[in-house]
Short mmCIF file of all heavy atoms in Angstrom, two decimals:
data_model
loop_
_atom_site.label_atom_id
_atom_site.label_comp_id
_atom_site.label_asym_id
_atom_site.label_seq_id
_atom_site.Cartn_x
_atom_site.Cartn_y
_atom_site.Cartn_z
N MET A 19 11.58 -29.61 50.81
CA MET A 19 12.85 -28.84 50.87
C MET A 19 12.84 -27.80 51.93
O MET A 19 13.88 -27.37 52.39
CB MET A 19 13.11 -28.20 49.49
CG MET A 19 13.67 -29.14 48.47
SD MET A 19 15.35 -29.74 48.88
CE MET A 19 15.67 -30.80 47.51
N GLY A 20 11.63 -27.35 52.35
CA GLY A 20 11.55 -26.34 53.36
C GLY A 20 12.15 -26.76 54.68
O GLY A 20 12.59 -25.93 55.52
N LEU A 21 12.25 -28.09 54.93
CA LEU A 21 12.86 -28.59 56.18
C LEU A 21 14.34 -28.80 56.08
O LEU A 21 15.04 -29.02 57.07
CB LEU A 21 12.19 -29.96 56.52
CG LEU A 21 10.67 -29.93 56.77
CD1 LEU A 21 10.14 -31.36 56.97
CD2 LEU A 21 10.38 -29.09 58.02
N VAL A 22 14.90 -28.67 54.86
CA VAL A 22 16.33 -28.93 54.67
C VAL A 22 17.09 -27.61 54.74
O VAL A 22 16.68 -26.57 54.14
CB VAL A 22 16.57 -29.52 53.22
CG1 VAL A 22 18.03 -29.77 53.01
CG2 VAL A 22 15.74 -30.84 53.09
N PRO A 23 18.23 -27.57 55.47
CA PRO A 23 19.01 -26.32 55.55
C PRO A 23 19.36 -25.84 54.16
O PRO A 23 19.66 -26.66 53.27
CB PRO A 23 20.25 -26.75 56.34
CG PRO A 23 19.83 -27.94 57.14
CD PRO A 23 18.78 -28.63 56.29
N VAL A 24 19.35 -24.55 53.94
CA VAL A 24 19.54 -23.97 52.63
C VAL A 24 20.82 -24.45 52.00
O VAL A 24 20.84 -24.78 50.81
CB VAL A 24 19.56 -22.42 52.71
CG1 VAL A 24 19.96 -21.80 51.38
CG2 VAL A 24 18.17 -21.93 53.16
N ALA A 25 21.89 -24.57 52.78
CA ALA A 25 23.18 -24.96 52.21
C ALA A 25 23.19 -26.40 51.68
O ALA A 25 24.06 -26.79 50.91
CB ALA A 25 24.30 -24.83 53.29
N GLN A 26 22.24 -27.23 52.11
CA GLN A 26 22.18 -28.63 51.71
C GLN A 26 21.11 -28.88 50.65
O GLN A 26 21.03 -30.02 50.10
CB GLN A 26 21.92 -29.51 52.93
CG GLN A 26 23.04 -29.50 53.93
CD GLN A 26 22.71 -30.30 55.16
OE1 GLN A 26 21.68 -30.96 55.25
NE2 GLN A 26 23.56 -30.20 56.15
N ARG A 27 20.32 -27.89 50.31
CA ARG A 27 19.21 -28.17 49.39
C ARG A 27 19.62 -28.63 47.99
O ARG A 27 19.01 -29.54 47.46
CB ARG A 27 18.31 -26.91 49.27
CG ARG A 27 17.49 -26.73 50.48
CD ARG A 27 16.57 -25.55 50.37
NE ARG A 27 16.00 -25.24 51.67
CZ ARG A 27 15.32 -24.20 51.97
NH1 ARG A 27 15.12 -23.22 51.09
NH2 ARG A 27 14.80 -24.05 53.18
N GLU A 28 20.71 -28.04 47.48
CA GLU A 28 21.13 -28.42 46.13
C GLU A 28 21.61 -29.88 46.14
O GLU A 28 21.30 -30.64 45.23
CB GLU A 28 22.19 -27.51 45.59
CG GLU A 28 22.28 -27.52 44.10
CD GLU A 28 22.95 -26.29 43.52
OE1 GLU A 28 23.56 -25.54 44.27
OE2 GLU A 28 22.88 -26.17 42.29
N ALA A 29 22.33 -30.27 47.19
CA ALA A 29 22.82 -31.66 47.27
C ALA A 29 21.66 -32.62 47.39
O ALA A 29 21.62 -33.67 46.72
CB ALA A 29 23.75 -31.81 48.48
N TYR A 30 20.67 -32.27 48.18
CA TYR A 30 19.44 -33.14 48.30
C TYR A 30 18.78 -33.26 46.95
O TYR A 30 18.33 -34.32 46.56
CB TYR A 30 18.47 -32.55 49.29
CG TYR A 30 18.68 -32.95 50.73
CD1 TYR A 30 19.87 -32.67 51.38
CD2 TYR A 30 17.68 -33.59 51.41
CE1 TYR A 30 20.05 -33.01 52.71
CE2 TYR A 30 17.84 -33.99 52.77
CZ TYR A 30 19.04 -33.69 53.38
OH TYR A 30 19.22 -34.08 54.69
N ALA A 31 18.64 -32.16 46.24
CA ALA A 31 18.00 -32.14 44.90
C ALA A 31 18.73 -33.07 43.94
O ALA A 31 18.11 -33.81 43.19
CB ALA A 31 17.90 -30.76 44.37
N HIS A 32 20.09 -33.03 43.96
CA HIS A 32 20.86 -33.86 43.06
C HIS A 32 20.65 -35.36 43.40
O HIS A 32 20.47 -36.20 42.52
CB HIS A 32 22.37 -33.52 43.16
CG HIS A 32 22.69 -32.18 42.61
ND1 HIS A 32 23.81 -31.47 42.96
CD2 HIS A 32 22.00 -31.37 41.75
CE1 HIS A 32 23.82 -30.31 42.32
NE2 HIS A 32 22.75 -30.22 41.58
N VAL A 33 20.70 -35.67 44.69
CA VAL A 33 20.48 -37.09 45.09
C VAL A 33 19.06 -37.53 44.70
O VAL A 33 18.84 -38.67 44.18
CB VAL A 33 20.74 -37.25 46.62
CG1 VAL A 33 20.32 -38.62 47.07
CG2 VAL A 33 22.23 -36.97 46.91
N ALA A 34 18.06 -36.65 44.95
CA ALA A 34 16.68 -37.04 44.62
C ALA A 34 16.52 -37.24 43.16
O ALA A 34 15.84 -38.20 42.72
CB ALA A 34 15.75 -35.97 45.13
N ALA A 35 17.14 -36.37 42.35
CA ALA A 35 17.04 -36.52 40.89
C ALA A 35 17.63 -37.84 40.43
O ALA A 35 17.11 -38.52 39.57
CB ALA A 35 17.69 -35.37 40.18
N GLY A 36 18.78 -38.21 41.08
CA GLY A 36 19.37 -39.53 40.68
C GLY A 36 18.51 -40.67 41.05
O GLY A 36 18.37 -41.64 40.27
N ALA A 37 17.91 -40.62 42.25
CA ALA A 37 17.01 -41.72 42.69
C ALA A 37 15.76 -41.77 41.78
O ALA A 37 15.33 -42.87 41.39
CB ALA A 37 16.56 -41.47 44.12
N ILE A 38 15.20 -40.62 41.40
CA ILE A 38 14.03 -40.64 40.51
C ILE A 38 14.45 -41.21 39.15
O ILE A 38 13.71 -42.04 38.60
CB ILE A 38 13.54 -39.19 40.39
CG1 ILE A 38 12.92 -38.68 41.72
CG2 ILE A 38 12.49 -39.10 39.27
CD1 ILE A 38 12.70 -37.23 41.80
N ALA A 39 15.58 -40.78 38.65
CA ALA A 39 16.02 -41.34 37.32
C ALA A 39 16.21 -42.84 37.40
O ALA A 39 15.82 -43.55 36.49
CB ALA A 39 17.33 -40.63 36.91
N GLN A 40 16.77 -43.32 38.51
CA GLN A 40 16.93 -44.77 38.65
C GLN A 40 15.60 -45.47 38.63
O GLN A 40 15.46 -46.57 37.99
CB GLN A 40 17.69 -45.08 39.93
CG GLN A 40 17.99 -46.56 40.13
CD GLN A 40 19.03 -47.11 39.14
OE1 GLN A 40 19.60 -46.32 38.36
NE2 GLN A 40 19.25 -48.38 39.18
N ASN A 41 14.61 -44.90 39.28
CA ASN A 41 13.29 -45.53 39.24
C ASN A 41 12.72 -45.59 37.83
O ASN A 41 12.05 -46.55 37.46
CB ASN A 41 12.30 -44.73 40.15
CG ASN A 41 12.43 -45.11 41.59
OD1 ASN A 41 12.94 -46.21 41.91
ND2 ASN A 41 12.08 -44.21 42.49
N VAL A 42 12.99 -44.50 37.05
CA VAL A 42 12.51 -44.54 35.71
C VAL A 42 13.23 -45.63 34.89
O VAL A 42 12.61 -46.37 34.12
CB VAL A 42 12.65 -43.15 34.99
CG1 VAL A 42 12.28 -43.19 33.53
CG2 VAL A 42 11.83 -42.07 35.76
N TYR A 43 14.56 -45.76 35.11
CA TYR A 43 15.31 -46.87 34.46
C TYR A 43 14.72 -48.22 34.83
O TYR A 43 14.60 -49.10 33.97
CB TYR A 43 16.80 -46.81 34.86
CG TYR A 43 17.63 -45.88 33.97
CD1 TYR A 43 17.93 -44.60 34.37
CD2 TYR A 43 18.10 -46.30 32.72
CE1 TYR A 43 18.71 -43.77 33.57
CE2 TYR A 43 18.85 -45.52 31.91
CZ TYR A 43 19.15 -44.21 32.34
OH TYR A 43 19.88 -43.37 31.54
N LEU A 44 14.44 -48.40 36.11
CA LEU A 44 13.85 -49.69 36.56
C LEU A 44 12.53 -49.96 35.93
O LEU A 44 12.23 -51.09 35.45
CB LEU A 44 13.80 -49.74 38.07
CG LEU A 44 15.15 -49.78 38.84
CD1 LEU A 44 14.93 -49.51 40.31
CD2 LEU A 44 15.83 -51.09 38.56
N PHE A 45 11.66 -48.93 35.91
CA PHE A 45 10.31 -49.11 35.29
C PHE A 45 10.50 -49.47 33.80
O PHE A 45 9.84 -50.36 33.29
CB PHE A 45 9.51 -47.81 35.44
CG PHE A 45 8.18 -47.91 34.76
CD1 PHE A 45 7.09 -48.51 35.40
CD2 PHE A 45 8.00 -47.52 33.45
CE1 PHE A 45 5.83 -48.63 34.76
CE2 PHE A 45 6.77 -47.65 32.78
CZ PHE A 45 5.71 -48.21 33.44
N ALA A 46 11.37 -48.69 33.10
CA ALA A 46 11.54 -48.94 31.69
C ALA A 46 12.04 -50.38 31.47
O ALA A 46 11.57 -51.08 30.62
CB ALA A 46 12.50 -47.93 31.08
N ALA A 47 13.07 -50.76 32.24
CA ALA A 47 13.65 -52.11 32.07
C ALA A 47 12.61 -53.19 32.26
O ALA A 47 12.58 -54.23 31.57
CB ALA A 47 14.81 -52.30 33.01
N SER A 48 11.74 -53.03 33.23
CA SER A 48 10.74 -54.04 33.56
C SER A 48 9.52 -54.01 32.63
O SER A 48 8.68 -54.86 32.73
CB SER A 48 10.32 -53.97 35.00
OG SER A 48 9.68 -52.75 35.24
N ASN A 49 9.44 -53.00 31.75
CA ASN A 49 8.33 -52.94 30.84
C ASN A 49 8.76 -52.87 29.39
O ASN A 49 8.05 -52.45 28.50
CB ASN A 49 7.49 -51.64 31.19
CG ASN A 49 6.66 -51.80 32.44
OD1 ASN A 49 5.60 -52.36 32.42
ND2 ASN A 49 7.24 -51.38 33.55
N GLY A 50 10.00 -53.33 29.12
CA GLY A 50 10.48 -53.45 27.74
C GLY A 50 10.70 -52.09 27.05
O GLY A 50 10.67 -52.00 25.83
N LEU A 51 10.94 -51.05 27.83
CA LEU A 51 11.19 -49.74 27.24
C LEU A 51 12.65 -49.35 27.43
O LEU A 51 13.40 -49.92 28.22
CB LEU A 51 10.29 -48.72 27.94
CG LEU A 51 8.78 -48.87 27.81
CD1 LEU A 51 8.05 -47.97 28.75
CD2 LEU A 51 8.36 -48.69 26.34
N ALA A 52 13.06 -48.34 26.67
CA ALA A 52 14.43 -47.83 26.74
C ALA A 52 14.37 -46.41 27.31
O ALA A 52 13.40 -45.67 27.12
CB ALA A 52 15.08 -47.82 25.38
N THR A 53 15.44 -46.04 28.06
CA THR A 53 15.50 -44.65 28.55
C THR A 53 16.92 -44.16 28.68
O THR A 53 17.83 -44.98 28.90
CB THR A 53 14.75 -44.54 29.90
OG1 THR A 53 14.76 -43.14 30.32
CG2 THR A 53 15.42 -45.41 30.99
N VAL A 54 17.15 -42.89 28.53
CA VAL A 54 18.46 -42.27 28.79
C VAL A 54 18.24 -40.96 29.54
O VAL A 54 17.30 -40.23 29.23
CB VAL A 54 19.32 -41.96 27.53
CG1 VAL A 54 19.84 -43.25 26.93
CG2 VAL A 54 18.48 -41.20 26.49
N ILE A 55 19.13 -40.68 30.46
CA ILE A 55 19.16 -39.37 31.12
C ILE A 55 19.78 -38.35 30.14
O ILE A 55 20.70 -38.65 29.43
CB ILE A 55 20.12 -39.44 32.42
CG1 ILE A 55 19.43 -40.22 33.50
CG2 ILE A 55 20.46 -38.03 32.86
CD1 ILE A 55 20.32 -40.37 34.72
N ARG A 56 19.22 -37.15 30.17
CA ARG A 56 19.80 -36.05 29.39
C ARG A 56 19.96 -34.83 30.25
O ARG A 56 19.00 -34.37 30.89
CB ARG A 56 18.87 -35.71 28.21
CG ARG A 56 18.80 -36.86 27.18
CD ARG A 56 18.00 -36.45 25.94
NE ARG A 56 17.73 -37.63 25.13
CZ ARG A 56 18.58 -38.15 24.29
NH1 ARG A 56 19.80 -37.60 24.16
NH2 ARG A 56 18.27 -39.17 23.55
N ALA A 57 21.16 -34.29 30.26
CA ALA A 57 21.39 -33.09 31.01
C ALA A 57 21.74 -31.89 30.06
O ALA A 57 21.73 -30.76 30.47
CB ALA A 57 22.61 -33.23 31.98
N TRP A 58 22.05 -32.23 28.78
CA TRP A 58 22.34 -31.19 27.81
C TRP A 58 21.01 -30.82 27.13
O TRP A 58 20.64 -31.39 26.10
CB TRP A 58 23.37 -31.73 26.79
CG TRP A 58 23.86 -30.68 25.81
CD1 TRP A 58 23.71 -29.34 25.90
CD2 TRP A 58 24.53 -30.98 24.59
NE1 TRP A 58 24.29 -28.77 24.82
CE2 TRP A 58 24.82 -29.75 24.01
CE3 TRP A 58 24.96 -32.12 24.00
CZ2 TRP A 58 25.49 -29.63 22.80
CZ3 TRP A 58 25.63 -32.03 22.76
CH2 TRP A 58 25.91 -30.80 22.20
N ILE A 59 20.31 -29.93 27.76
CA ILE A 59 18.89 -29.67 27.40
C ILE A 59 18.65 -28.16 27.48
O ILE A 59 19.41 -27.41 28.11
CB ILE A 59 17.92 -30.38 28.40
CG1 ILE A 59 18.33 -30.11 29.82
CG2 ILE A 59 17.88 -31.89 28.08
CD1 ILE A 59 17.41 -30.73 30.89
N ASP A 60 17.56 -27.68 26.92
CA ASP A 60 17.16 -26.31 26.97
C ASP A 60 16.28 -26.12 28.24
O ASP A 60 15.04 -26.28 28.19
CB ASP A 60 16.40 -25.92 25.71
CG ASP A 60 16.06 -24.45 25.63
OD1 ASP A 60 16.03 -23.79 26.75
OD2 ASP A 60 15.79 -23.93 24.58
N ARG A 61 16.93 -25.83 29.38
CA ARG A 61 16.23 -25.76 30.65
C ARG A 61 15.15 -24.67 30.67
O ARG A 61 14.11 -24.84 31.25
CB ARG A 61 17.23 -25.55 31.80
CG ARG A 61 18.06 -26.77 32.07
CD ARG A 61 18.98 -26.62 33.18
NE ARG A 61 19.50 -27.90 33.61
CZ ARG A 61 20.43 -28.57 32.92
NH1 ARG A 61 20.95 -28.06 31.84
NH2 ARG A 61 20.83 -29.75 33.32
N ALA A 62 15.42 -23.57 30.00
CA ALA A 62 14.47 -22.46 29.96
C ALA A 62 13.21 -22.88 29.26
O ALA A 62 12.07 -22.65 29.73
CB ALA A 62 15.08 -21.22 29.34
N ALA A 63 13.38 -23.52 28.08
CA ALA A 63 12.19 -23.98 27.31
C ALA A 63 11.39 -25.02 28.12
O ALA A 63 10.14 -24.97 28.12
CB ALA A 63 12.66 -24.55 25.98
N ILE A 64 12.10 -25.95 28.72
CA ILE A 64 11.38 -26.99 29.49
C ILE A 64 10.70 -26.37 30.67
O ILE A 64 9.53 -26.71 30.96
CB ILE A 64 12.35 -28.12 29.92
CG1 ILE A 64 12.91 -28.86 28.68
CG2 ILE A 64 11.70 -29.11 30.85
CD1 ILE A 64 14.05 -29.82 28.97
N GLY A 65 11.34 -25.49 31.37
CA GLY A 65 10.76 -24.82 32.49
C GLY A 65 9.50 -24.02 32.08
O GLY A 65 8.49 -24.10 32.80
N ASP A 66 9.55 -23.37 30.94
CA ASP A 66 8.41 -22.64 30.46
C ASP A 66 7.26 -23.62 30.14
O ASP A 66 6.09 -23.36 30.50
CB ASP A 66 8.76 -21.86 29.18
CG ASP A 66 9.48 -20.57 29.52
OD1 ASP A 66 9.58 -20.19 30.67
OD2 ASP A 66 10.06 -19.96 28.60
N ALA A 67 7.61 -24.70 29.42
CA ALA A 67 6.55 -25.68 29.05
C ALA A 67 5.89 -26.31 30.26
O ALA A 67 4.67 -26.60 30.24
CB ALA A 67 7.18 -26.77 28.16
N LEU A 68 6.65 -26.47 31.36
CA LEU A 68 6.10 -27.09 32.56
C LEU A 68 5.49 -26.04 33.47
O LEU A 68 4.89 -26.42 34.52
CB LEU A 68 7.21 -27.86 33.32
CG LEU A 68 7.76 -29.08 32.61
CD1 LEU A 68 8.95 -29.61 33.42
CD2 LEU A 68 6.72 -30.16 32.50
N GLY A 69 5.62 -24.79 33.16
CA GLY A 69 5.06 -23.70 33.97
C GLY A 69 5.75 -23.57 35.33
O GLY A 69 5.09 -23.29 36.35
N LEU A 70 7.05 -23.81 35.34
CA LEU A 70 7.77 -23.75 36.64
C LEU A 70 7.88 -22.32 37.15
O LEU A 70 7.99 -21.39 36.38
CB LEU A 70 9.18 -24.34 36.49
CG LEU A 70 9.31 -25.81 36.03
CD1 LEU A 70 10.76 -26.24 36.11
CD2 LEU A 70 8.40 -26.71 36.86
N SER A 71 7.82 -22.17 38.47
CA SER A 71 7.99 -20.85 39.06
C SER A 71 9.48 -20.53 39.18
O SER A 71 10.34 -21.39 38.95
CB SER A 71 7.31 -20.82 40.45
OG SER A 71 7.94 -21.76 41.28
N HIS A 72 9.76 -19.30 39.57
CA HIS A 72 11.14 -18.83 39.58
C HIS A 72 12.06 -19.60 40.61
O HIS A 72 13.23 -19.62 40.50
CB HIS A 72 11.25 -17.34 39.87
CG HIS A 72 10.83 -16.96 41.25
ND1 HIS A 72 9.54 -16.87 41.65
CD2 HIS A 72 11.61 -16.69 42.33
CE1 HIS A 72 9.49 -16.56 42.95
NE2 HIS A 72 10.74 -16.46 43.38
N ASP A 73 11.37 -20.27 41.58
CA ASP A 73 12.18 -21.01 42.57
C ASP A 73 12.20 -22.53 42.28
O ASP A 73 12.62 -23.32 43.14
CB ASP A 73 11.70 -20.74 43.99
CG ASP A 73 10.28 -21.15 44.23
OD1 ASP A 73 9.60 -21.43 43.25
OD2 ASP A 73 9.88 -21.25 45.41
N GLN A 74 11.73 -22.86 41.08
CA GLN A 74 11.88 -24.29 40.68
C GLN A 74 12.82 -24.35 39.51
O GLN A 74 12.92 -23.37 38.68
CB GLN A 74 10.49 -24.81 40.22
CG GLN A 74 9.48 -24.88 41.32
CD GLN A 74 8.11 -25.30 40.85
OE1 GLN A 74 7.57 -24.72 39.93
NE2 GLN A 74 7.56 -26.33 41.49
N GLN A 75 13.59 -25.42 39.39
CA GLN A 75 14.54 -25.55 38.26
C GLN A 75 14.58 -26.95 37.74
O GLN A 75 14.30 -27.92 38.40
CB GLN A 75 15.93 -25.08 38.69
CG GLN A 75 16.51 -25.90 39.83
CD GLN A 75 17.92 -25.40 40.21
OE1 GLN A 75 18.84 -25.60 39.45
NE2 GLN A 75 18.06 -24.83 41.38
N VAL A 76 14.93 -27.06 36.45
CA VAL A 76 15.03 -28.35 35.78
C VAL A 76 16.41 -28.90 36.09
O VAL A 76 17.42 -28.24 35.79
CB VAL A 76 14.83 -28.19 34.24
CG1 VAL A 76 15.06 -29.52 33.56
CG2 VAL A 76 13.42 -27.62 33.94
N MET A 77 16.47 -30.10 36.70
CA MET A 77 17.75 -30.72 37.00
C MET A 77 18.26 -31.59 35.84
O MET A 77 19.40 -31.56 35.47
CB MET A 77 17.64 -31.61 38.24
CG MET A 77 17.05 -30.95 39.48
SD MET A 77 18.07 -29.64 40.18
CE MET A 77 19.59 -30.57 40.59
N LEU A 78 17.35 -32.41 35.37
CA LEU A 78 17.66 -33.41 34.34
C LEU A 78 16.40 -33.66 33.47
O LEU A 78 15.27 -33.36 33.92
CB LEU A 78 17.99 -34.78 34.92
CG LEU A 78 19.25 -34.95 35.73
CD1 LEU A 78 19.26 -36.31 36.43
CD2 LEU A 78 20.49 -34.85 34.79
N SER A 79 16.59 -34.21 32.33
CA SER A 79 15.43 -34.76 31.60
C SER A 79 15.70 -36.23 31.36
O SER A 79 16.85 -36.68 31.52
CB SER A 79 15.19 -34.01 30.30
OG SER A 79 16.23 -34.32 29.38
N GLN A 80 14.72 -36.94 30.98
CA GLN A 80 14.88 -38.34 30.74
C GLN A 80 13.94 -38.74 29.60
O GLN A 80 12.73 -38.57 29.71
CB GLN A 80 14.58 -39.19 32.01
CG GLN A 80 15.21 -40.54 32.01
CD GLN A 80 15.24 -41.11 33.44
OE1 GLN A 80 14.82 -40.44 34.40
NE2 GLN A 80 15.76 -42.30 33.57
N THR A 81 14.50 -39.23 28.51
CA THR A 81 13.77 -39.62 27.37
C THR A 81 13.40 -41.11 27.53
O THR A 81 14.23 -41.93 27.88
CB THR A 81 14.57 -39.51 26.10
OG1 THR A 81 15.02 -38.14 25.99
CG2 THR A 81 13.79 -39.86 24.86
N VAL A 82 12.12 -41.42 27.30
CA VAL A 82 11.62 -42.84 27.36
C VAL A 82 11.04 -43.18 26.01
O VAL A 82 10.29 -42.40 25.45
CB VAL A 82 10.54 -42.98 28.49
CG1 VAL A 82 10.07 -44.42 28.53
CG2 VAL A 82 11.13 -42.57 29.85
N GLY A 83 11.38 -44.35 25.51
CA GLY A 83 10.82 -44.78 24.24
C GLY A 83 10.91 -46.29 24.10
O GLY A 83 11.23 -47.00 25.05
N TYR A 84 10.57 -46.70 22.88
CA TYR A 84 10.65 -48.15 22.58
C TYR A 84 12.07 -48.52 22.25
O TYR A 84 12.82 -47.74 21.64
CB TYR A 84 9.71 -48.51 21.43
CG TYR A 84 8.27 -48.26 21.84
CD1 TYR A 84 7.56 -47.16 21.34
CD2 TYR A 84 7.61 -49.17 22.67
CE1 TYR A 84 6.21 -46.96 21.70
CE2 TYR A 84 6.28 -48.94 23.01
CZ TYR A 84 5.62 -47.82 22.56
OH TYR A 84 4.30 -47.64 22.93
N ARG A 85 12.41 -49.76 22.61
CA ARG A 85 13.76 -50.24 22.27
C ARG A 85 13.90 -50.38 20.75
O ARG A 85 12.96 -50.65 20.06
CB ARG A 85 13.95 -51.65 22.89
CG ARG A 85 14.07 -51.63 24.39
CD ARG A 85 14.15 -53.08 24.89
NE ARG A 85 14.26 -53.06 26.35
CZ ARG A 85 15.40 -52.78 27.01
NH1 ARG A 85 16.50 -52.56 26.37
NH2 ARG A 85 15.38 -52.76 28.33
N LYS A 86 15.20 -50.21 20.33
CA LYS A 86 15.48 -50.44 18.92
C LYS A 86 15.21 -51.90 18.61
O LYS A 86 15.62 -52.76 19.38
CB LYS A 86 16.97 -50.06 18.71
CG LYS A 86 17.34 -49.88 17.27
CD LYS A 86 18.69 -49.19 17.25
CE LYS A 86 19.77 -50.05 16.60
NZ LYS A 86 21.07 -49.39 16.55
N ALA A 87 14.56 -52.15 17.47
CA ALA A 87 14.29 -53.60 17.09
C ALA A 87 15.60 -54.26 16.82
O ALA A 87 16.47 -53.68 16.15
CB ALA A 87 13.37 -53.58 15.86
N SER A 88 15.75 -55.49 17.31
CA SER A 88 17.04 -56.19 17.05
C SER A 88 16.87 -57.28 16.05
O SER A 88 15.82 -57.65 15.68
CB SER A 88 17.56 -56.75 18.40
OG SER A 88 16.58 -57.47 19.07
C1 FMN B 108 24.06 -37.05 34.32
C2 FMN B 108 23.99 -37.50 32.89
C3 FMN B 108 23.69 -36.61 31.87
C4 FMN B 108 23.63 -37.04 30.55
N1 FMN B 108 23.25 -36.14 29.56
C5 FMN B 108 23.21 -36.56 28.26
C6 FMN B 108 22.78 -35.65 27.24
O1 FMN B 108 22.51 -34.52 27.52
N2 FMN B 108 22.72 -36.14 25.97
C7 FMN B 108 23.07 -37.40 25.65
O2 FMN B 108 22.99 -37.80 24.47
N3 FMN B 108 23.41 -38.27 26.61
C8 FMN B 108 23.54 -37.91 27.88
N4 FMN B 108 23.93 -38.75 28.91
C9 FMN B 108 24.22 -40.12 28.47
C10 FMN B 108 22.95 -40.92 28.25
O3 FMN B 108 22.12 -40.93 29.42
C11 FMN B 108 23.28 -42.40 27.89
O4 FMN B 108 24.01 -42.97 28.85
C12 FMN B 108 24.03 -42.42 26.59
O5 FMN B 108 23.20 -41.81 25.58
C13 FMN B 108 24.34 -43.89 26.16
O6 FMN B 108 23.18 -44.62 26.06
P1 FMN B 108 23.23 -46.09 25.49
O7 FMN B 108 24.24 -46.83 26.32
O8 FMN B 108 21.83 -46.64 25.70
O9 FMN B 108 23.63 -46.00 24.00
C14 FMN B 108 23.93 -38.37 30.21
C15 FMN B 108 24.27 -39.30 31.21
C16 FMN B 108 24.30 -38.86 32.57
C17 FMN B 108 24.66 -39.89 33.61
#
């Protein structure tokens, strides 16, 4: 991010988060797992648990688990 102009950093972060989430969806689909993106989350608690610094922020979370038995 240090190479990205400040005004564009948030947009880059949003695009990167979407691409990362898509990779998790692809991995889950190809390994018989289920996943959902979650944005309605306790960002402060997650940031604390991950030990994020003041200039890092939680964009999204993604839950991964086993598919519901059919
Ligand atoms: C950007 C984004 C944020 C989301 N945030 C939440 C969330 O906080 N909680 C939630 O239950 N679903 C959230 N969803 C929806 C879930 O990812 C998922 O699509 C929804 O639970 C339906 O899943 P299903 O089709 O497997 O039942 C979000 C979806 C997107 C695209």
Side-chain angles (χ1 to χ4, degrees):
M19 281 292 180
L21 298 174
V22 179
V24 172
Q26 294 175 7
R27 285 184 189 167
E28 202 160 11
Y30 272 61
H32 292 158
V33 171
I38 292 164
Q40 183 69 5
N41 280 336
V42 175
Y43 273 99
L44 290 169
F45 177 86
S48 64
N49 287 276
L51 298 169
T53 184
V54 286
I55 287 178
R56 294 186 190 279
W58 186 15
I59 50 178
D60 186 340
R61 289 183 167 75
I64 294 170
D66 282 349
L68 294 173
L70 300 187
S71 63
H72 71 279
D73 63 346
Q74 295 175 307
Q75 59 180 292
V76 176
M77 308 292 300
L78 291 171
S79 70
Q80 202 163 357
T81 304
V82 179
Y84 294 105
R85 292 177 180 280
K86 196 164 117 181
S88 50

